[in-house]
Amino acid sequence: MRQLTLSIDSLTCTLKRFTQYDRTTADTGQTEYSIVGTPLDSGPVYEPKLIWSVGAMVSYEQWFSLNAIFHKSDKIRRDQGNYRILVEDSIENFTESGTRTRGLATGGSETTFPGGVNYPASFYCRMFEPKSQWQRNQQYPYIASFTLRELDKTEEGSEPGGGGEIITTGYIAATSLLAYRMVTLNTSGEVIYADNINPDHIASVWAINKTSVATGQTVTGQTFGEVENLAWSWTPQDPIFLGANGTLTQIPPTTGFVLIVGWAMTATKMFITIKQAIAL
């Protein structure tokens, strides 16, 4: 599966047909020598970032999606928000010594060897404005070209679609809470139900509560990954929204704000991935 997937919020574009693919590292320094042959090394002490130069044959829909991802990221950047784009690279595996430190690309698996590991990885990047070249191809009328520059490192275990769960505990319930409802924190740092009608919760929905708890008990919240509840009856592949009092629904709310908190994998299983809310 040789592909490159870019996503931000609910926007996603997967590319599979390439005219150019080049992933290199930024300047890693060099070794020069003094007049007597002493090595003089230079270069960053931190792990160098990666740079992609990409050319891909794209359909109209893919070209529109690429532009939407770029403009979404750039708008967030100009608003001084978190503008990073998730890039899942299944074209060229990432190799490192020791154990895996980055998230897996969706559907990928790692191969270990003595002293290291090799795997298709995910990265956080910034995209620079995509350009297009028209070609005589009805299915793929454009060749899109763009550059990606790595920003942050995706942590191992946080990969989308990879099954890695992110669990947080240690917070106390402000009131009794039912399992499998979305929660947030009140001004005292205690756990309460998140509510799509409450404007204070528009940017602070934290996790899904994994077990029912009484007032004062410790809450186990899951912020990312697969969750299964045999009492659910979802429509697979459809998004799941936050409702009132932490409830989950596949019917988009018409008041308050709309927040996708995940999507249905099966009728009884969802994948938690909290997106950016939209005020109504």
Side-chain angles (χ1 to χ4, degrees):
M1 180 180 63
R2 292 173 54 83
Q3 63 184 37
L4 196 69
T5 300
L6 287 70
S7 57
I8 184 171
D9 291 342
S10 60
L11 301 173
T12 300
C13 182
T14 298
L15 306 175
K16 298 181 179 181
R17 294 167 175 80
F18 298 92
T19 60
Q20 177 189 1
Y21 170 90
D22 186 27
R23 190 178 81 192
T24 59
T25 56
D27 183 20
T28 56
Q30 58 184 341
T31 299
E32 298 178 333
Y33 301 93
S34 69
I35 193 170
V36 294
T38 303
L40 305 173
D41 280 332
S42 65
V45 296
Y46 53 83
E47 183 180 6
K49 301 295 187 182
L50 297 170
I51 303 171
W52 288 255
S53 296
V54 179
M57 297 171 59
V58 297
S59 65
Y60 287 113
E61 292 78 9
Q62 288 173 316
W63 174 241
F64 298 152
S65 295
L66 275 178
N67 276 276
I69 289 170
F70 166 74
H71 288 293
K72 177 71 173 182
S73 172
D74 197 53
K75 182 180 185 303
I76 296 174
R77 181 186 63 83
R78 287 184 277 110
D79 292 338
Q80 299 184 340
N82 188 353
Y83 60 90
R84 64 191 187 183
I85 295 170
L86 178 67
V87 176
E88 298 179 75
D89 190 346
S90 299
I91 302 173
E92 179 181 349
N93 279 3
F94 187 77
T95 302
E96 58 184 327
S97 60
T99 58
R100 178 164 61 90
T101 63
R102 284 174 166 80
L104 279 173
T106 299
S109 61
E110 62 183 71
T111 301
T112 58
F113 57 88
V117 63
N118 178 271
Y119 59 99
S122 59
F123 309 84
Y124 287 125
C125 299
R126 177 184 175 185
M127 175 195 283
F128 291 84
E129 187 169 9
K131 308 294 183 183
S132 68
Q133 178 182 345
W134 183 79
Q135 61 175 352
R136 292 182 179 275
N137 186 313
Q138 290 185 344
Q139 188 174 4
Y140 302 103
Y142 295 120
I143 295 177
S145 59
F146 57 90
T147 300
L148 300 168
R149 286 183 172 266
E150 186 179 15
L151 297 173
D152 309 320
K153 182 167 68 174
T154 60
E155 296 299 332
E156 188 277 330
S158 66
E159 54 269 23
E165 297 179 355
I166 301 179
I167 304 293
T168 304
T169 189
Y171 293 97
I172 302 301
T175 184
S176 59
L177 301 170
L178 296 174
Y180 303 112
R181 293 201 184 190
M182 301 304 296
V183 293
T184 185
L185 303 179
N186 62 18
T187 55
S188 299
E190 297 174 326
V191 183
I192 59 175
Y193 288 135
D195 195 314
N196 81 296
I197 300 298
N198 190 333
D200 292 338
H201 297 174
I202 192 168
S204 62
V205 177
W206 166 49
I208 189 170
N209 182 29
K210 294 298 291 293
T211 59
S212 296
V213 295
T215 303
Q217 289 185 326
T218 300
V219 174
T220 299
Q222 182 171 332
T223 61
F224 185 89
E226 297 179 11
V227 180
E228 186 169 22
N229 178 6
L230 297 180
W232 282 335
S233 183
W234 301 125
T235 300
Q237 302 299 317
D238 282 1
I240 298 172
F241 303 91
L242 170 68
N245 293 318
T247 56
L248 300 170
T249 177
Q250 288 191 303
I251 300 174
T254 56
T255 57
F257 61 87
V258 175
L259 175 64
I260 294 175
V261 296
W263 57 280
M265 304 176 71
T266 67
T268 60
K269 185 183 294 186
M270 71 175 292
F271 197 94
I272 294 289
T273 174
I274 300 173
K275 302 299 185 179
Q276 184 174 349
I278 301 174
L280 297 173

